[in-house]
Amino acid sequence: MIPKKSLGQNFLINESIAEKIVSSANIKNANVLEIGPGKGILTKYLAEHAGKVLAIEVDPHIAKFCDSKIKQWGAEKKIEIIKGDVLKINLPKLVEENNFHNYKVVANLPYYITSKIIRLLLETKYPQSEMILMVQKEVGERICALDGKESLLSISVKFYAEPELLFEVSRENFKPAPEVDSAVIRIKRKKLIPDVNTKRFFSLVRAGFSAKRKILVNNLRNLGHPRAKLSVIFRKAGLEPGVRAERLGVEEWVRLYSILEERN
Ligand code: SAM
């Protein structure tokens, strides 16, 4: 089977890292949703600890291979391979049909759609309690904003959850080896998410990050707010007039949003 680069098929080949990822998930009989089981290196360890594992795989050849492995392990009752594209599948229906309301996500994600998958999982009708994800190292660092610079991605994650970088995994642990190193992150769902209209809130955040070089106030003018009005709002929100979007945390975005909404 030749790995398909277009599907992000860089398979993990180090069993001890697979075990470390699974033990970080602290599964204890929880249900687990895996995305992209590939040849099943994580799936095997997940099944040892999980109540049930549902694993969504888009490549039919890999899915078939994984199915044959599951038979070899005698784990047919524990693991079900769902053949399909995670971005197109009806996730709420899958959760309902499998009585999966309380579940965790564990995955070595295909890197070409990492952000889309994370967003889908954060916004889905029945969210998971936590995700343990292997992602490209730079993406993991950006999500956690380790350099103190927030981004649209980090704010999108931190709105719903608390991200944490767990450990790094170097590229030689994959076959074929990718051109970048990886990191394993935990995204733990918050019990309470801010009480806002998410569509309008994220339009504001997106607008704030629209032009990287511009200061926040200039980016927000694209939303049709006059500068004088924005100056008053910034003062009320306790924000410096020259602040950049990357300096605001979720709480400050919510404050800014609430003041803007009041005045609309
Ligand atoms: N879990 C395996 C491992 O750790 O070796 C494979 C990880 S590999 C980085 C990503 C896997 O996701 C591949 O098996 C690939 O076929 C699958 N994949 C890619 N795009 C997908 C999609 N849209 N929906 C579901 N699976 C996908």
Side-chain angles (χ1 to χ4, degrees), residues 4 6-13 21 34-43 56-59 62 82 84-88 107-113 117 134 174:
K4 296 190 184 72
S6 62
L7 291 178
Q9 291 179 351
N10 299 99
F11 299 108
L12 180 66
I13 49 171
I21 293 173
E34 187 186 1
I35 292 146
K39 298 180 182 174
I41 186 164
L42 287 174
T43 325
I56 305 174
E57 175 56 61
V58 74
D59 182 336
I62 293 278
I82 313 288
D85 181 336
V86 65
L87 298 177
K88 295 193 182 139
N108 171 12
L109 288 180
Y111 292 173
Y112 73 109
I113 43 172
I117 296 177
M134 177 118 75
F174 301 86

Coordinates of all heavy atoms in Angstrom, one line a residue, residues 4 6-13 21 34-43 56-59 62 82 84-88 107-113 117 134 174, ligand 1:
K4 N -0.7 7.8 0.7 CA -1.2 8.9 -0.1 C -0.9 10.2 0.6 O -1.5 10.5 1.6 CB -2.7 8.8 -0.3 CG -3.1 7.5 -1.1 CD -4.6 7.6 -1.5 CE -5.1 6.3 -2.2 NZ -5.2 5.2 -1.3
S6 N -1.6 13.1 -0.4 CA -2.8 14.0 -0.5 C -3.7 13.8 0.7 O -4.5 14.7 1.0 CB -3.5 13.8 -1.8 OG -4.0 12.5 -1.9
L7 N -3.7 12.6 1.3 CA -4.6 12.4 2.5 C -3.8 12.5 3.8 O -4.3 12.1 4.8 CB -5.2 11.0 2.4 CG -6.2 10.8 1.2 CD1 -6.8 9.4 1.2 CD2 -7.4 11.8 1.4
G8 N -2.6 13.0 3.7 CA -1.8 13.2 5.0 C -1.4 11.9 5.6 O -1.4 11.9 6.8
Q9 N -1.1 10.9 4.8 CA -0.8 9.6 5.4 C 0.6 9.5 5.8 O 1.5 8.9 5.0 CB -1.2 8.5 4.4 CG -2.7 8.4 4.3 CD -3.2 7.4 3.3 OE1 -2.4 6.8 2.6 NE2 -4.5 7.1 3.3
N10 N 1.0 10.0 6.9 CA 2.3 9.8 7.5 C 2.0 9.0 8.8 O 1.5 9.5 9.8 CB 2.9 11.2 7.9 CG 3.1 12.1 6.7 OD1 2.3 12.9 6.5 ND2 4.2 11.8 6.0
F11 N 2.3 7.7 8.6 CA 1.9 6.8 9.7 C 2.9 6.8 10.8 O 4.1 6.7 10.6 CB 1.7 5.4 9.1 CG 0.7 5.3 8.1 CD1 1.0 5.1 6.7 CD2 -0.7 5.4 8.4 CE1 0.0 5.1 5.7 CE2 -1.7 5.4 7.4 CZ -1.3 5.3 6.1
L12 N 2.4 6.8 12.0 CA 3.2 6.7 13.2 C 3.8 5.3 13.3 O 3.1 4.3 13.1 CB 2.4 7.0 14.5 CG 3.1 6.9 15.8 CD1 4.1 8.0 15.9 CD2 2.1 7.1 17.0
I13 N 5.1 5.1 13.5 CA 5.7 3.8 13.5 C 6.3 3.4 14.9 O 6.9 2.4 15.1 CB 6.8 3.6 12.4 CG1 7.8 4.8 12.4 CG2 6.1 3.5 11.0 CD1 9.0 4.6 11.5
I21 N 0.5 8.5 23.9 CA -0.6 9.3 23.5 C -1.9 8.7 24.2 O -2.7 9.5 24.8 CB -0.8 9.3 21.9 CG1 0.3 10.0 21.3 CG2 -2.2 9.9 21.5 CD1 0.4 9.9 19.8
E34 N -12.0 8.2 17.0 CA -10.7 8.4 16.4 C -10.9 8.9 15.0 O -11.8 8.4 14.3 CB -9.8 7.1 16.4 CG -8.4 7.4 15.9 CD -7.5 6.1 15.8 OE1 -7.9 5.0 16.0 OE2 -6.3 6.3 15.4
I35 N -10.0 9.8 14.6 CA -10.1 10.3 13.2 C -8.8 9.8 12.5 O -7.7 10.1 12.9 CB -10.3 11.8 13.1 CG1 -11.7 12.1 13.7 CG2 -10.2 12.3 11.7 CD1 -11.7 13.4 14.4
G36 N -9.1 9.1 11.3 CA -7.9 8.6 10.6 C -7.1 7.5 11.3 O -6.0 7.7 11.7
P37 N -7.7 6.4 11.5 CA -7.0 5.3 12.2 C -5.8 4.8 11.5 O -4.9 4.2 12.1 CB -8.1 4.2 12.4 CG -9.1 4.4 11.3 CD -9.1 5.9 11.1
G38 N -5.8 5.0 10.1 CA -4.7 4.5 9.3 C -4.5 3.0 9.5 O -5.5 2.2 9.4
K39 N -3.3 2.5 9.8 CA -3.1 1.1 10.0 C -3.4 0.6 11.4 O -3.1 -0.5 11.8 CB -1.7 0.8 9.6 CG -1.4 1.1 8.2 CD 0.0 0.8 7.8 CE 0.3 1.1 6.3 NZ 1.7 1.0 6.0
G40 N -3.9 1.5 12.3 CA -4.4 1.1 13.6 C -3.4 1.2 14.7 O -3.7 0.6 15.8
I41 N -2.3 1.8 14.6 CA -1.3 1.8 15.7 C -1.9 2.4 17.0 O -1.6 1.9 18.0 CB 0.0 2.5 15.2 CG1 1.1 2.4 16.3 CG2 -0.2 4.0 14.9 CD1 2.5 2.7 15.9
L42 N -2.7 3.5 16.8 CA -3.3 4.0 18.1 C -4.6 3.2 18.4 O -4.8 3.0 19.6 CB -3.8 5.5 17.8 CG -2.7 6.6 17.7 CD1 -3.4 7.9 17.3 CD2 -2.0 6.7 19.1
T43 N -5.3 2.8 17.4 CA -6.6 2.1 17.6 C -6.4 0.9 18.5 O -7.3 0.7 19.4 CB -7.1 1.7 16.2 OG1 -6.8 2.7 15.2 CG2 -8.6 1.5 16.2
I56 N -13.1 6.9 12.2 CA -13.5 7.4 10.8 C -12.3 7.4 9.9 O -11.3 8.2 10.2 CB -14.1 8.8 10.9 CG1 -15.3 8.8 11.9 CG2 -14.6 9.3 9.6 CD1 -15.9 10.2 12.2
E57 N -12.4 6.7 8.8 CA -11.2 6.6 7.9 C -11.8 6.9 6.5 O -12.7 6.2 6.0 CB -10.5 5.3 8.0 CG -9.4 5.0 7.0 CD -8.3 6.1 7.0 OE1 -7.6 6.3 8.0 OE2 -8.1 6.8 5.9
V58 N -11.1 7.8 5.8 CA -11.6 8.2 4.4 C -11.1 7.3 3.3 O -11.7 7.1 2.3 CB -11.2 9.7 4.1 CG1 -9.8 9.8 3.8 CG2 -12.1 10.2 3.0
D59 N -9.9 6.7 3.5 CA -9.3 5.9 2.5 C -9.8 4.4 2.6 O -9.5 3.7 3.5 CB -7.8 5.9 2.7 CG -7.0 5.1 1.6 OD1 -7.6 4.2 1.0 OD2 -5.9 5.4 1.3
I62 N -7.2 1.6 3.2 CA -6.6 1.7 4.6 C -7.7 1.1 5.5 O -7.4 0.4 6.5 CB -6.2 3.1 5.0 CG1 -5.0 3.5 4.1 CG2 -5.9 3.2 6.4 CD1 -3.7 3.1 4.6
I82 N -15.6 3.5 10.6 CA -16.7 4.2 9.8 C -16.0 4.7 8.6 O -15.0 5.5 8.7 CB -17.2 5.4 10.6 CG1 -17.6 5.0 12.1 CG2 -18.4 6.1 9.9 CD1 -18.8 4.2 12.3
G84 N -15.5 7.0 5.7 CA -16.0 8.2 5.2 C -15.1 9.4 5.5 O -14.1 9.2 6.2
D85 N -15.5 10.5 5.1 CA -14.7 11.8 5.3 C -15.3 12.5 6.5 O -16.5 12.8 6.6 CB -14.9 12.6 4.0 CG -14.1 14.0 4.1 OD1 -13.8 14.4 5.2 OD2 -13.9 14.5 3.0
V86 N -14.4 12.7 7.5 CA -14.9 13.3 8.8 C -15.5 14.6 8.6 O -16.4 15.0 9.3 CB -13.7 13.4 9.8 CG1 -12.6 14.3 9.3 CG2 -14.2 13.8 11.1
L87 N -15.1 15.3 7.5 CA -15.7 16.7 7.3 C -17.1 16.6 6.6 O -17.8 17.6 6.6 CB -14.8 17.5 6.4 CG -13.4 17.8 7.0 CD1 -12.6 18.6 6.0 CD2 -13.5 18.6 8.3
K88 N -17.4 15.4 6.1 CA -18.7 15.3 5.5 C -19.7 14.4 6.2 O -20.9 14.5 6.0 CB -18.5 14.7 4.1 CG -17.7 15.6 3.2 CD -17.8 15.2 1.7 CE -16.9 16.1 0.9 NZ -16.2 15.3 -0.1
A107 N -6.6 11.3 18.2 CA -6.2 11.2 16.8 C -4.9 11.7 16.4 O -4.4 12.7 17.1 CB -7.3 12.0 15.9
N108 N -4.3 11.1 15.5 CA -3.1 11.7 14.8 C -3.7 12.2 13.5 O -4.0 11.5 12.6 CB -2.1 10.5 14.5 CG -0.9 11.0 13.7 OD1 -0.7 12.2 13.4 ND2 -0.2 10.0 13.2
L109 N -3.9 13.5 13.5 CA -4.7 14.1 12.5 C -4.0 14.2 11.1 O -2.7 14.4 11.1 CB -5.1 15.6 12.9 CG -6.1 15.7 14.0 CD1 -6.4 17.2 14.3 CD2 -7.4 15.0 13.6
P110 N -4.7 14.1 10.0 CA -4.1 14.4 8.7 C -3.9 15.9 8.7 O -4.8 16.7 8.9 CB -5.2 14.0 7.7 CG -6.5 14.0 8.5 CD -6.1 13.7 9.9
Y111 N -2.6 16.3 8.5 CA -2.2 17.7 8.7 C -2.9 18.7 7.7 O -3.0 19.9 8.1 CB -0.7 17.9 8.7 CG -0.1 17.2 9.9 CD1 1.3 17.1 10.0 CD2 -0.9 16.7 10.9 CE1 1.9 16.4 11.1 CE2 -0.3 16.0 12.0 CZ 1.1 15.9 12.1 OH 1.6 15.3 13.2
Y112 N -3.3 18.2 6.5 CA -3.8 19.2 5.5 C -5.2 19.8 5.9 O -5.6 20.7 5.4 CB -3.8 18.5 4.1 CG -4.9 17.5 4.0 CD1 -6.0 17.7 3.2 CD2 -4.8 16.2 4.6 CE1 -7.0 16.8 3.0 CE2 -5.8 15.3 4.5 CZ -6.9 15.6 3.7 OH -7.9 14.6 3.5
I113 N -5.8 19.1 6.9 CA -7.2 19.6 7.3 C -7.3 19.8 8.8 O -8.4 19.8 9.4 CB -8.3 18.8 6.8 CG1 -8.0 17.3 6.9 CG2 -8.7 19.2 5.4 CD1 -9.2 16.4 6.6
I117 N -10.8 20.2 11.0 CA -11.3 19.2 11.8 C -11.5 19.7 13.3 O -12.5 19.4 13.9 CB -10.4 17.9 11.8 CG1 -10.3 17.3 10.4 CG2 -10.8 16.9 12.9 CD1 -9.3 16.1 10.3
M134 N -2.5 14.7 17.8 CA -1.2 14.9 17.3 C -1.4 15.8 16.1 O -2.2 15.6 15.2 CB -0.6 13.6 16.8 CG 0.8 13.8 16.2 SD 2.1 13.0 17.1 CE 1.8 11.3 16.6
F174 N 7.7 8.7 12.0 CA 6.6 8.5 11.0 C 7.2 7.9 9.7 O 8.3 8.1 9.4 CB 5.9 9.8 10.7 CG 5.3 10.5 11.9 CD1 6.1 11.4 12.6 CD2 4.0 10.3 12.2 CE1 5.6 12.0 13.7 CE2 3.5 11.0 13.3 CZ 4.3 11.8 14.1
Ligands
SAM1 N1 -3.7 7.1 13.1 C1 -2.7 6.6 12.1 C2 -1.3 6.7 12.7 O1 -1.2 7.4 13.7 O2 -0.4 6.2 12.1 C3 -2.8 7.4 10.8 C4 -2.6 8.9 10.9 S1 -2.3 9.7 9.4 C5 -1.4 11.1 9.9 C6 -3.9 10.4 9.0 C7 -5.0 9.4 8.6 O3 -6.2 10.2 8.4 C8 -4.8 8.6 7.4 O4 -5.1 7.3 7.6 C9 -5.7 9.2 6.3 O5 -6.1 8.3 5.3 C10 -6.8 9.7 7.2 N2 -7.6 10.8 6.6 C11 -7.2 11.8 5.8 N3 -8.2 12.6 5.5 C12 -9.3 12.2 6.2 C13 -10.7 12.6 6.3 N4 -11.1 13.7 5.6 N5 -11.5 11.9 7.0 C14 -11.1 10.8 7.7 N6 -9.8 10.3 7.6 C15 -8.9 11.0 6.9

